[in-house]
C-alpha cells in the first residue's frame, strides 16, 4: 500500500519515481463527490488541475498560470511551500435574489507556490470546492502587469456547448471542436446526457474581462480583453467549473457566483426597492402622467425615461443635468420635476437613462443632482466593457450610485459575474438577447439555461407589441416574467397607456396597454423570491420554473419549436395545504386581442398540471393557499349564468337608449344655458371633468360584458344622473367596476340648486383608488377625507360592489361594503379574524355621510384613467311614487323624475301616477273628463290610493285663464266633490261646479308633491 498523508480534505500521494504525472493535492467537496486534483507533469514540472464528479472526468489536466510582463508565467509550476486550509458551512440572506436564504458551504485551500523565475512576486493559488462546483483564483503580491491568463479547461472530446460571441448575441449549441473565436461566459457544456458543466468567471470588479477560446479539440482557454496592471497586491476574478446532472440543476444553483463574491458593501439597503418598471416611451408630460396612473393601478413601482430626455444621447454636447428632449425622438414637452412629484403622490418613482458618453463626463455632477430631484435610479446605456479601465470605472460608478441611494441597471454588453451581492443597488443588467431583438421562444430557452446562470437579466418584456406573436404568444410572455429573473422587471416595453400621445417616442410605437383579464398576473408578480425550483427543461426546447414569494407560488412554462405535452407535478407545494390554481394559457377562442384564458381550480401537492402546448406557446400559473375543497386539476369550473339584473339597473346598452360604443354620454360642461342634464340619457358633466363615454368591454369571470361607462380618453369623468333611484327594502348602491386608476360612486343631492351635479353635491363615496396604496376605500362628502379598507385591489379586474346603509340610531348609521372579485369569482374578506366572508363594516355620523340616501336626487360617478363602471343601481326605502315607477323599467335617468314626460303626451309623470296612467305610452282614456248636466260642470278623474297624502290634488276653475279658484280634493266627500272608493282600484272623483248663466268655464287638474 502506498503511504498516505491527510490534511483536512486534501491528500498528498507519494507515487513511484517513474510516474510521468505526479499527484500533488486533492480537495473534495463537503459531500465528497466532486474532487479537484492538482498534479505535476514530471517531465515539464507544469502544475495541472483536474475535476471529477463521482469519478467521471469533467476537466482533465488543464493548465494554470498568469503571464506577467517582464517576469513570465507564474503559478504554472513551482513548489507548494505552504497550505492554508479552511472549511465553511454558513448561510446569508439575500433580499434581492432568487432565494432569500443562500447556503454557502465549501472547502478551501490556499496554496503558496514558489519558483525561482517569479522573482520578488508572491504567488498563491486559492481553490474552493462546493458540492456543485470548483473555483480557483490567483493571489499575487507585488507590482506588475498581467499580459494573459493561461488557465485552461480540457473537456471530453464529445462535449457539446452552448455559446455566443457577444453578450447580446444569439446563443447556439455546437460541438466543442467547432468553437471559433472568443465566446462569452458562462459556457454551458453537455458532457453526457446526465452530466453538465458550466464554466465562467465570478467577482470581476477590477480586472479585464475574460472570455473563452478553444485550443486543440476540446480545451477552453481563458482569454483576457486586455492587460491588467496591479500595485502591491492583485486578486484575480474566480474561474469556475460547475457540475450537475441536468441544465435545470445548474440553473437552480446559480447563486454559486454570488457566493464567490464579497458580501454587501452597502450598510443600509432599506432604500433599495425591487419592483416592476414601465418605460415611458413618449418623453412627454402627458405620457408620463398616464404611465404613472397605469403603474399605480397595476402595482408597478417605477416608470423609466429612456434615451432622449436630456438630448441626443450620442452627442457629447447633450447635458444630462438638464431636461432637453431630443426632437428626433419626441416633440415633448416634458416637465420632469412635475412628473417626479406626481409620481411620489402615487407611490411611483422615476428611473432615468444616461448614456456612457454623459456618464463619463458628468457622473460626479449628476449623482447628487438626481438624488436631490428624487430620482430612484439610473439605467446606464451603451456602457464600455472589457478592459480593466472600463471594468474598474463601471463598478466604481455603481459604488458611487449607492452613496447617493441610486439603484442601477447596466445595459448593453455587460455580463454579470455575481457582484450584485457586493453592490446590491445593481439590481439588473442586460447582456442578454431581450425582446428588443424579437427572439423566438427557442432562443429565449437557450438564454434561460445559459445567460440565466450568471444572474439577473433585463429581458425588456413586451406584451401588446405586434412582435409578441412573432416571438411566441402572450401566455409565453407571462411565463417569461417568471422564467427570467430580474429584480427590476421591465414590462410592456413598447406599449403606452391610454391617454399617452399617440405618435411620439420610441420607434414611433403606438401599441396601447389594454385592460385584459390576465394583466392581474403581472399586477401580482413579485420580482424577488424566497425560493426557486427549476422543475424541468432543456436549452432551446422547454422549461418549467416555479418560484415562491411568501406562501404564494408562481409557475412559468415555455415551449420551443416542437409541440409538447407538459406534465408538472405540484409536489413542491407543502403538505396539508390546498392551493387555488389560476392557470393562464393561450386559447384562440378567447375574445380579447391577447387570446389568453384564465382557468381556476383547487389543487394540492399530489396534483399535476397537464397541458398540451403548441409550438412557441407557454403557460403561467399562480398558486395561492386556500381552505376551499379540491377540484380536478386544471379543469375550469362550468361557466356561470349571467347574474340576474334587478329592475332599475343601468347597463349602458343600446337597448336602454344609450348610444353605441365610443360615443360620449355627457356633453355639457355648465348649466349656463339653463339646460342641465342634456347629455345622452340625462347624464350631466361637472365643469371640472371631461365627457363620459360608452365603451365596449369583454366578459371577465362573472362579469358579463357588453357596454360600460368610462372616460372618453381624458383622465377623468365627473358627472351624475337624476331619477335612477329605485324603491326597495333598503338603501343601497351597487355597481360593477373595472379598476384602473380610480373610481368613486355616491348618492347625490343638488343641494346648491345649480341644476348640475358636481363635487359639492356628493355624499359619502365608495370605490377603489388611493394616492399610494391602491385599496377599496370610502371618502367623505365632497370628496373629503379618504379612508382605506384593509384590502387592496388589482388593476384590470372587475369587482362587484354592494354598499348598504342601515337605519340611523343615536346619530350613528351603520354602513357595509361587500365586494366580489368578478374576475376570479372570489368574495373578499375584509375581516379575516371573524369566521366567514365579512364585508367592510363601519359607522358614520350624519356629517360624515353627507346627503342621506333618502333625500338623494340621483347618483354621482367619478372615473379616472381607464376605469369603467357597469350595472349601476341605487335604491332607497321606496316612496309609493318610486314603487309605481319601478314598474316601467324601460324609463331611465331623468325620465323617471316626477316632472318628466317621457311619452310626450303633455302629462307629467306625477300626474300619470295620480291618474294611474302609463308614463311610457300615451293613453287618453285616463285623462279627466268634463260635461254639463243640470246647470253644473261635471269634472271626473281617477286617483290612486297611494298618492293620497303624498300628492296635493287640486281642481282649478275660472271664467278666464288668468285667475283661478282652487278646490283641494281630500280623502272623502266634501262640499263640491264626491270621492267614490273603489277598493284596490283608483278612487273615482267627481267634482260639481255650478255654471248657470255663465258663458264659459275653464277647469284643470293640478297635482303637486306634498311636503314630506
Amino acid at each position: 500500500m502506498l503511504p498516505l498523508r491527510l490534511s483536512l480534505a486534501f491528500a498528498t500521494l507519494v507515487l513511484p519515481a517513474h510516474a510521468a504525472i505526479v499527484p500533488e493535492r486533492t480537495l473534495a467537496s463537503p459531500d465528497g463527490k466532486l474532487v479537484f486534483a492538482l498534479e505535476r507533469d514530471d517531465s515539464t514540472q507544469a502544475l495541472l488541475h483536474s475535476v471529477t464528479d463521482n469519478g467521471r472526468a469533467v476537466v482533465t489536466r488543464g493548465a494554470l498560470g498568469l503571464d506577467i510582463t517582464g517576469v513570465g508565467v507564474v503559478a504554472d509550476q513551482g513548489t507548494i511551500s505552504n497550505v492554508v486550509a479552511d472549511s465553511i458551512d454558513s448561510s446569508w440572506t439575500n433580499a434581492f435574489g432568487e432565494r432569500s436564504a443562500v447556503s454557502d458551504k465549501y472547502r478551501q485551500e490556499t496554496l503558496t507556490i514558489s519558483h525561482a523565475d517569479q522573482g520578488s512576486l508572491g504567488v498563491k493559488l486559492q481553490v474552493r470546492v462546493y458540492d456543485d462546483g470548483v473555483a480557483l483564483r490567483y493571489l499575487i503580491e507585488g507590482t506588475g502587469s498581467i499580459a494573459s491568463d493561461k488557465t485552461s479547461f480540457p473537456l471530453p472530446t464529445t462535449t457539446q456547448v452552448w455559446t455566443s460571441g457577444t453578450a447580446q448575441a444569439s446563443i447556439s449549441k455546437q460541438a466543442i471542436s467547432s468553437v471559433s473565436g472568443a465566446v462569452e461566459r458562462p459556457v454551458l457544456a453537455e458532457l453526457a446526457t446526465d452530466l453538465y458543466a458550466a464554466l465562467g468567471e465570478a467577482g470581476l470588479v477590477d480586472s479585464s474581462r475574460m472570455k473563452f477560446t478553444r485550443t486543440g479539440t476540446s480545451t477552453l482557454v481563458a482569454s483576457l480583453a486586455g492587460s491588467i496592471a496591479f500595485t502591491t497586491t492583485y486578486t484575480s476574478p474566480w474561474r469556475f467549473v460547475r457540475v450537475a446532472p441536468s441544465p435545470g440543476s445548474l440553473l437552480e444553483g446559480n447563486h454559486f457566483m454570488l457566493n464567490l463574491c464579497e458580501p454587501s458593501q452597502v450598510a443600509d439597503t432599506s432604500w433599495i426597492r425591487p419592483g416592476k418598471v414601465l418605460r415611458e416611451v413618449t418623453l412627454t408630460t402627458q405620457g408620463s402622467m398616464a404611465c404613472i396612473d397605469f403603474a399605480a393601478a397595476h402595482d408597478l413601482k417605477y416608470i423609466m425615461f429612456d434615451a432622449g430626455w436630456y438630448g441626443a444621447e450620442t452627442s457629447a454636447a447633450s447635458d444630462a443635468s438638464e431636461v432637453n428632449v431630443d426632437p428626433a425622438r419626441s416633440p415633448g414637452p416634458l416637465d420632469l420635476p412635475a412628473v417626479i412629484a406626481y409620481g411620489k403622490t402615487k407611490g411611483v418613482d422615476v428611473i432615468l437613462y444616461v448614456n456612457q458618453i454623459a456618464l463619463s463626463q458628468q457622473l460626479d455632477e449628476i449623482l447628487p443632482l438626481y438624488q436631490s430631484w428624487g430620482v430612484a435610479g439610473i439605467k446606464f446605456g451603451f456602457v464600455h466593457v472589457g478592459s480593466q479601465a472600463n471594468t474598474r470605472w463601471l463598478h466604481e460608478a455603481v459604488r458611487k450610485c449607492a452613496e447617493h441611494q441610486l439603484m442601477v441597471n447596466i445595459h448593453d454588453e455587460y455580463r454579470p459575474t455575481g457582484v450584485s451581492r457586493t453592490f446590491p443597488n445593481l439590481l439588473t443588467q442586460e447582456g442578454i438577447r431581450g425582446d428588443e431583438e424579437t427572439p423566438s421562444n427557442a432562443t429565449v430557452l437557450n438564454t434561460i439555461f445559459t445567460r440565466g446562470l450568471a444572474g439577473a437579466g433585463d429581458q425588456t418584456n413586451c406584451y401588446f407589441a405586434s412582435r409578441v406573436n412573432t416571438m411566441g404568444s402572450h401566455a409565453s410572455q407571462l411565463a417569461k416574467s417568471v422564467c427570467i429573473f430580474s429584480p427590476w422587471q421591465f414590462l410592456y416595453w413598447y406599449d403606452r397607456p391610454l391617454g399617452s400621445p399617440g405618435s411620439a417616442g420610441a420607434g414611433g410605437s403606438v401599441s396601447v396597454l389594454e385592460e385584459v383579464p390576465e394583466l392581474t398576473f403581472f399586477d401580482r408578480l413579485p420580482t424577488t423570491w424566497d425560493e426557486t425550483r427549476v422543475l424541468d427543461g432543456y436549452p432551446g426546447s422547454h422549461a418549467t420554473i416555479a418560484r415562491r414569494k411568501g406562501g404564494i407560488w408562481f409557475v412559468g412554462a415555455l415551449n420551443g419549436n416542437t409541440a409538447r405535452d407538459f406534465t408538472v407535478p405540484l409536489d413542491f407545494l407543502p403538505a396539508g395545504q390546498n392551493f387555488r390554481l389560476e392557470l393562464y394559457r393561450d386559447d384562440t377562442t378567447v375574445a380579447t386581442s391577447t387570446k389568453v384564458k384564465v382557468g381556476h381550480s383547487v389543487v394540492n401537492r399530489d396534483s399535476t398540471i397537464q397541458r398540451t402546448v403548441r409550438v412557441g406557446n407557454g403557460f403561467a400559473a399562480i398558486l395561492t393557499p386556500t381552505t376551499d375543497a379540491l377540484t380536478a386539476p386544471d379543469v375550469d369550473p362550468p361557466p356561470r349564468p349571467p347574474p340576474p339584473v334587478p329592475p332599475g339597473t343601468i347597463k349602458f346598452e343600446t337597448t336602454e337608449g344609450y348610444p353605441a360604443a365610443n360615443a360620449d354620454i355627457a356633453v355639457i360642461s355648465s348649466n349656463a344655458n339653463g339646460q342641465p342634464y342634456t347629455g345622452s340619457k340625462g347624464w350631466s358633466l361637472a365643469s371640472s371633468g371631461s365627457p363620459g363615454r360608452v365603451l365596449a368591454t369583454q366578459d371577465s369571470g362573472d362579469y358579463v360584458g357588453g357596454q360600460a361607462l368610462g372616460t372618453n380618453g381624458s383622465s377623468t369623468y365627473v358627472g351624475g344622473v337624476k331619477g335612477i333611484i329605485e324603491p326597495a327594502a333598503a338603501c343601497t348602491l351597487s355597481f360593477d367596476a373595472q379598476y384602473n386608476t380610480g373610481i368613486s360612486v355616491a348618492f347625490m343631492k343638488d343641494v346648491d340648486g345649480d341644476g348640475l351635479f358636481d363635487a359639492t353635491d356628493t355624499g359619502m363615496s365608495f370605490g377603489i383608488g388611493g394616492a399610494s396604496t391602491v385599496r377599496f376605500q370610502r371618502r367623505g362628502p365632497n370628496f373629503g377625507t379618504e379612508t382605506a379598507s384593509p384590502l387592496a385591489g388589482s388593476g384590470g379586474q372587475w369587482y362587484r360592489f354592494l354598499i348598504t346603509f342601515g337605519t340611523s340610531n343615536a346619530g350613528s348609521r351603520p354602513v357595509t361594503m361587500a365586494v366580489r372579485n368578478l374576475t376570479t369569482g372570489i368574495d373578499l374578506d375584509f375581516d379575516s379574524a371573524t369566521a366567514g366572508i365579512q364585508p367592510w363594516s363601519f359607522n358614520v355620523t350624519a356629517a360624515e355621510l353627507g346627503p342621506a340616501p333618502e333625500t338623494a336626487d340621483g347618483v354621482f360617478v367619478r372615473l379616472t384613467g381607464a376605469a369603467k363602471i357597469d350595472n349601476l343601481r341605487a335604491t332607497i326605502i321606496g316612496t309609493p311614487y318610486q314603487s309605481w315607477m319601478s314598474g316601467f323599467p324601460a324609463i331611465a335617468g331623468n325620465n323617471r323624475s316626477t316632472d318628466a314626460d317621457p311619452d310626450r303626451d303633455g302629462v307629467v309623470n306625477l300626474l300619470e301616477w295620480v291618474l294611474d296612467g302609463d308614463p311610457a305610452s300615451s293613453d287618453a282614456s285616463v285623462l279627466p273628463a268634463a260635461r254639463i248636466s243640470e246647470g253644473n260642470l261635471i269634472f271626473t278623474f281617477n286617483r290612486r290610493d297611494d298618492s293620497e297624502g303624498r300628492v296635493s290634488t287640486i281642481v282649478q276653475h275660472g271664467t278666464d285663464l288668468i285667475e283661478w279658484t282652487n278646490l283641494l280634493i281630500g280623502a272623502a266627500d266634501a262640499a263640491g266633490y264626491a270621492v267614490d272608493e273603489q277598493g284596490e282600484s283608483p278612487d273615482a272623483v267627481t267634482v260639481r261646479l255650478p255654471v248657470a248663466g255663465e258663458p264659459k268655464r275653464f277647469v284643470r287638474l293640478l297635482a303637486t308633491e306634498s311636503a314630506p
Side-chain angles (χ1 to χ4, degrees):
M1 174 179 288
L2 298 175
L4 180 68
R5 292 185 296 152
L6 291 178
S7 173
L8 193 62
F10 270 107
T12 299
L13 302 180
V14 180
L15 297 179
H18 61 269
I21 300 297
V22 180
E24 287 280 346
R25 311 288 294 178
T26 59
L27 180 60
S29 60
D31 65 6
K33 297 178 181 179
L34 196 64
V35 176
F36 171 86
L38 184 66
E39 302 172 307
R40 182 189 305 278
D41 185 327
D42 201 30
S43 61
T44 65
Q45 298 302 302
L47 294 174
L48 306 171
H49 69 101
S50 299
V51 178
T52 56
D53 178 52
N54 281 314
R56 303 169 73 183
V58 178
V59 174
T60 303
R61 294 173 182 158
L64 296 167
L66 298 175
D67 184 1
I68 299 179
T69 302
V71 176
V73 180
V74 300
D76 62 326
Q77 54 182 281
T79 302
I80 301 173
S81 58
N82 189 46
V83 177
V84 177
D86 205 354
S87 181
I88 300 296
D89 186 357
S90 66
S91 63
W92 56 283
T93 299
N94 186 4
F96 313 112
E98 298 177 73
R99 56 199 51 78
S100 55
V102 182
S103 173
D104 194 11
K105 185 177 182 180
Y106 60 88
R107 290 172 174 165
Q108 178 175 286
E109 189 79 39
T110 305
L111 312 174
T112 300
I113 301 174
S114 301
H115 193 278
D117 292 342
Q118 67 192 38
S120 62
L121 296 176
V123 179
K124 296 177 181 178
L125 176 69
Q126 191 170 71
V127 181
R128 283 187 188 178
V129 183
Y130 295 78
D131 288 342
D132 62 342
V134 173
L136 60 88
R137 64 180 176 180
Y138 303 98
L139 312 176
I140 309 297
E141 295 179 358
T143 299
S145 177
I146 298 168
S148 62
D149 186 332
K150 300 298 183 182
T151 311
S152 69
F153 302 88
L155 301 173
T157 57
T158 57
T159 296
Q160 300 283 312
V161 291
W162 284 263
T163 63
S164 66
T166 59
Q168 298 178 83
S170 185
I171 299 166
S172 60
K173 181 182 180 182
Q174 60 184 321
I176 192 170
S177 59
S178 300
V179 171
S180 61
V183 296
E184 267 289 358
R185 73 279 189 264
V187 170
L188 174 65
E190 183 179 42
L191 284 62
T193 57
D194 60 348
L195 184 60
Y196 291 80
L199 296 86
E201 177 177 37
L204 175 64
V205 177
D206 188 18
S207 290
S208 291
R209 179 198 58 207
M210 180 198 77
K211 288 189 177 183
F212 289 109
T213 57
R214 177 182 58 85
T215 63
T217 302
S218 57
T219 297
L220 296 180
V221 180
S223 175
L224 299 180
S227 62
I228 303 168
F230 60 93
T231 303
T232 309
T233 61
Y234 171 70
T235 300
S236 77
W238 294 95
R239 281 73 173 101
F240 66 79
V241 180
R242 294 185 54 217
V243 182
S246 69
S249 298
L250 284 172
L251 181 59
E252 191 171 311
N254 64 0
H255 54 281
F256 183 91
M257 292 172 64
L258 298 174
N259 279 336
L260 291 173
C261 293
E262 297 298 315
S264 175
Q265 294 182 9
V266 181
D268 175 19
T269 59
S270 61
W271 54 272
I272 301 175
R273 297 187 303 116
K276 290 159 290 192
V277 187
L278 176 64
R279 180 173 67 148
E280 203 295 301
V281 300
T282 72
L283 300 179
T284 66
T285 304
Q286 179 186 345
S288 305
M289 301 302 192
C291 281
I292 288 170
D293 287 342
F294 181 87
H298 290 272
D299 199 25
L300 277 66
K301 299 302 182 186
Y302 303 93
I303 67 168
M304 190 272 293
F305 290 97
D306 218 334
W309 70 268
Y310 63 88
E313 64 166 324
T314 56
S315 171
S318 294
D319 185 353
S321 69
E322 297 180 354
V323 180
N324 183 23
V325 176
D326 179 2
R329 290 182 176 267
S330 169
L334 174 59
D335 185 346
L336 186 57
V339 171
I340 293 172
Y342 182 67
K344 297 291 185 185
T345 70
K346 295 281 190 174
V348 178
D349 281 320
V350 168
I351 301 166
L352 298 178
Y353 170 95
V354 184
N355 185 284
Q356 176 80 64
I357 295 171
L359 288 171
S360 299
Q361 299 176 150
Q362 297 182 270
L363 184 70
D364 292 335
E365 173 191 1
I366 63 176
L367 297 188
L369 180 65
Y370 291 177
Q371 183 181 21
S372 71
W373 286 357
V375 171
I378 305 178
K379 173 183 168 182
F380 291 7
F382 289 100
V383 294
H384 299 162
V385 298
S387 71
Q388 181 186 28
N390 289 337
T391 302
R392 176 186 294 151
W393 182 93
L394 195 52
H395 293 101
E396 179 66 7
V398 173
R399 185 192 65 78
K400 288 181 178 181
C401 283
E403 291 179 351
H404 294 282
Q405 296 192 353
L406 293 168
M407 294 166 278
V408 177
N409 175 10
I410 301 177
H411 252 234
D412 302 296
E413 277 297 295
Y414 177 82
R415 275 279 176 94
T417 61
V419 296
S420 58
R421 181 187 182 188
T422 309
F423 304 111
N425 62 312
L426 176 54
L427 285 182
T428 193
Q429 50 271 305
E430 197 173 26
I432 194 170
R433 195 163 186 82
D435 283 4
E436 291 174 303
E437 304 293 335
T438 319
S440 67
N441 270 5
T443 298
V444 172
L445 285 159
N446 281 331
T447 297
I448 289 170
F449 289 103
T450 53
R451 167 62 178 80
L453 298 171
D458 182 3
Q459 181 70 21
T460 57
N461 192 298
C462 298
Y463 201 68
F464 292 101
S466 59
R467 68 183 63 203
V468 168
N469 294 321
T470 302
M471 295 187 293
S473 70
H474 287 86
S476 63
Q477 291 299 106
L478 299 176
K480 269 192 213 177
S481 66
V482 176
C483 293
I484 298 176
F485 167 69
S486 182
W488 265 353
Q489 183 76 258
F490 285 77
L491 301 174
Y492 314 113
W493 184 248
Y494 287 107
D495 307 325
R496 67 187 71 197
L498 189 69
S500 290
S503 59
S509 169
V510 294
S511 55
V512 175
L513 290 158
E514 302 173 30
E515 293 293 346
V516 291
E518 73 271 13
L519 290 200
T520 182
F521 185 89
F522 284 146
D523 294 353
R524 295 151 63 190
L525 178 74
T527 63
T528 60
W529 306 93
D530 293 323
E531 184 178 358
T532 292
R533 302 280 190 93
V534 182
L535 305 179
D536 189 21
Y538 187 86
S541 173
H542 65 286
T544 307
I545 298 176
R547 302 189 193 267
R548 177 180 62 83
K549 187 73 169 182
I552 301 176
W553 286 86
F554 286 71
V555 178
L558 281 177
N559 193 31
N561 292 333
T562 302
R564 178 178 302 277
D565 291 328
F566 279 74
T567 299
V568 184
L570 301 181
D571 52 6
F572 55 86
L573 298 175
Q577 174 67 64
N578 290 352
F579 284 77
R580 178 173 294 277
L581 169 64
E582 298 169 53
L583 191 62
Y584 300 77
R585 72 264 199 173
D586 299 298
D587 186 336
T588 57
T589 68
V590 175
T592 66
S593 64
T594 53
K595 306 297 182 184
V596 173
K597 183 174 184 178
V598 185
H600 303 271
S601 55
V602 178
V603 298
N604 63 16
R605 64 175 285 113
D606 298 323
S607 305
T608 301
I609 299 175
Q610 293 183 314
R611 299 296 310 161
T612 297
V613 181
R614 297 195 300 182
V615 170
N617 282 197
F619 61 88
I622 304 176
L623 291 148
T624 307
T626 183
T627 58
D628 293 347
L630 293 175
T631 65
D634 193 32
V635 174
D636 292 331
R640 295 175 176 157
V645 178
T649 299
I650 300 179
K651 297 180 67 178
F652 302 98
E653 300 295 324
T654 55
T655 55
E656 297 175 348
Y658 282 90
N662 296 319
D664 291 346
I665 68 163
V667 296
I668 59 171
S669 59
S670 73
N671 66 336
N673 59 3
Q675 296 180 326
Y677 310 112
T678 56
S680 173
K681 299 298 292 182
W683 282 84
S684 71
L685 174 67
S687 58
S688 60
S690 300
R693 175 168 290 183
V694 173
L695 300 171
T697 188
Q698 301 291 336
D699 292 356
S700 179
D702 284 351
Y703 172 76
V704 179
Q707 293 189 166
L709 173 61
T711 69
N712 72 342
S714 300
S715 61
T716 303
Y717 165 62
V718 181
V721 64
K722 291 173 70 174
I724 72 165
I725 299 174
E726 292 293 321
C731 297
T732 65
L733 281 172
S734 62
F735 54 92
D736 296 345
Q738 187 183 38
Y739 171 66
N740 176 268
T741 303
I743 182 167
S744 296
V745 180
F747 277 111
M748 293 293 301
K749 180 70 174 177
D750 189 12
V751 294
D752 55 11
D754 64 357
L756 185 70
F757 277 160
D758 52 46
T760 63
D761 301 330
T762 67
M764 176 169 283
S765 61
F766 304 85
I768 183 170
S772 55
T773 303
V774 177
R775 293 190 182 276
F776 299 98
Q777 61 174 227
R778 69 179 192 266
R779 301 188 71 162
N782 303 338
F783 289 94
T785 303
E786 172 188 310
T787 302
S789 77
L791 298 184
S794 296
Q797 297 196 345
W798 279 93
Y799 296 94
R800 174 158 295 162
F801 291 75
L802 174 61
I803 297 95
T804 303
F805 301 81
T807 303
S808 182
N809 182 21
S812 178
R813 186 164 189 168
V815 181
T816 62
M817 185 169 85
V819 182
R820 179 181 180 85
N821 187 319
L822 298 178
T823 302
T824 64
I826 298 174
D827 293 311
L828 303 190
D829 187 0
F830 286 83
D831 183 6
S832 59
T834 303
I837 304 298
Q838 300 297 321
W840 189 23
S841 301
F842 46 89
N843 289 283
V844 295
T845 65
E848 292 171 328
L849 183 63
E854 293 84 359
T855 68
D857 295 323
V859 173
F860 177 92
V861 171
R862 185 176 190 269
L863 302 171
T864 305
K868 302 182 185 72
I869 187 171
D870 201 359
N871 298 324
L872 174 62
R873 184 172 187 248
T875 70
I876 63 173
I877 298 174
T879 67
Y881 171 80
Q882 292 165 337
S883 298
W884 170 76
M885 179 57 75
S886 67
F888 304 96
I891 300 175
N894 277 349
N895 283 333
R896 302 178 74 82
S897 63
T898 57
D899 58 355
D901 181 14
D903 58 1
R904 302 181 182 278
D905 62 356
V907 182
V908 298
N909 288 338
L910 185 66
L911 195 53
E912 293 266 18
W913 174 42
V914 172
L915 299 175
D916 197 30
D918 182 348
S921 176
S922 179
D923 182 5
S925 67
V926 301
L927 295 178
R931 60 186 173 86
I932 300 295
S933 176
E934 299 178 353
N936 293 305
L937 173 62
I938 310 298
F939 185 71
T940 60
F941 62 92
N942 295 330
R943 183 181 65 183
R944 289 177 58 100
D945 288 342
D946 56 3
S947 71
E948 293 179 29
R950 297 175 177 85
V951 177
S952 296
T953 309
I954 302 172
V955 174
Q956 293 185 316
H957 59 94
T959 58
D960 55 34
L961 295 175
I962 300 174
E963 295 193 14
W964 297 93
T965 301
N966 292 337
L967 177 63
L968 178 64
I969 307 300
D973 294 353
Y977 65 88
V979 178
D980 184 9
E981 295 285 350
Q982 301 287 320
E984 294 183 359
S985 298
D987 299 340
V989 179
T990 302
V991 178
R992 293 178 178 272
L993 301 173
V995 293
E998 295 179 356
K1000 56 185 176 182
R1001 178 67 65 95
F1002 299 96
V1003 63
R1004 65 183 182 183
L1005 181 63
L1006 177 65
T1008 60
E1009 292 181 83
S1010 301

